[in-house]
Amino acid sequence: MSEKEKAWARNAQAGSAEDFAQLVRLHQQALRAFLRRLSGNHADADDLAQETFVFAWEYMARFDCTRSFRPWLFGIGWRKYREKKRGWLRLLWRERAVEMDFVIIPDPGLKLDMAKALAGLIPEQRAVILLCLMEQMTHEEAATALAMPLGTVKSHIARGREKLGLALGALDV
């Protein structure tokens, strides 16, 4: 986390809405993309992102400024997604296909194959794959964000990559 970001976080903890808005501007695009890939559509992702930022603002005092803000924020987003997903399941909504506009794949067929392959992963595997491989978080940051043991994150990466490789017909994803 940069010094500027640390300062914004400290000031936000002290009640500065302006500095919290800076944190939102810095992370909103990546958070929305992550939530869109999890939920499968823009509208749900926007709702989840809004809920995530509201929760983060309300609980900013709990944030440890010695740590990185991004994994903390993505962890809130992950928990909001899981809460919403449980609600969706109770209403018997089916999860939609994951949009893959975060990957530049020239072949539309391959892009669709990748979306289907990701949609075939269990949510925990998909979340870990998206954070580590797409958002380039370390395994430790993903473990923090998802409140999972590091070994579990590594297992989900290994199993997720294997499933993606099988689904895409590749040996090494």
Side-chain angles (χ1 to χ4, degrees):
M1 187 160 76
S2 72
E3 290 304 315
K4 185 181 277 190
E5 190 176 354
K6 285 180 186 177
W8 289 336
R10 283 191 300 273
N11 293 339
Q13 281 184 320
S16 172
E18 185 176 312
D19 285 316
F20 185 76
Q22 292 290 350
L23 291 169
V24 169
R25 279 189 280 283
L26 182 63
H27 296 288
Q28 72 179 339
Q29 185 176 357
L31 178 67
R32 287 179 195 280
F34 170 67
L35 292 169
R36 185 175 56 249
R37 289 179 226 129
L38 282 174
S39 67
N41 73 56
H42 292 278
D44 290 339
D46 288 344
D47 290 346
L48 289 166
Q50 183 71 23
E51 291 176 28
T52 298
F53 286 120
V54 167
F55 187 92
W57 173 246
E58 290 174 358
Y59 289 90
M60 194 64 199
R62 293 185 181 181
F63 174 65
D64 178 0
C65 286
T66 63
R67 306 197 64 150
S68 180
F69 183 76
R70 188 175 179 135
W72 182 73
L73 183 68
F74 276 58
I76 294 169
W78 166 246
R79 288 185 294 284
K80 292 294 177 187
Y81 165 76
R82 288 182 59 198
E83 289 170 11
K84 186 76 78 175
K85 176 98 172 162
R86 281 193 294 271
W88 291 331
L89 290 174
R90 272 186 238 116
L91 296 172
L92 301 176
W93 287 12
R94 292 187 322 162
E95 187 174 58
R96 296 169 195 102
V98 177
E99 294 179 28
M100 295 297 295
D101 57 358
F102 63 94
V103 177
I104 300 171
I105 301 175
D107 178 0
L110 181 57
K111 188 173 182 178
L112 183 59
D113 289 346
M114 181 65 144
K116 287 179 183 176
L118 267 176
L121 299 178
I122 63 170
E124 292 79 7
Q125 287 173 347
R126 188 167 57 239
V128 169
I129 291 285
L130 292 171
L131 288 178
C132 292
L133 301 181
M134 305 303 177
E135 293 298 328
Q136 299 178 344
M137 283 190 187
T138 65
H139 292 169
E140 292 81 8
E141 288 173 329
T144 299
L146 301 174
M148 289 181 186
L150 181 58
T152 302
V153 167
K154 290 179 179 182
S155 293
H156 282 316
I157 285 281
R159 289 185 185 121
R161 287 180 76 165
E162 181 180 338
K163 286 180 184 177
L164 287 175
L166 290 171
L168 295 171
L171 295 176
D172 187 27
V173 174

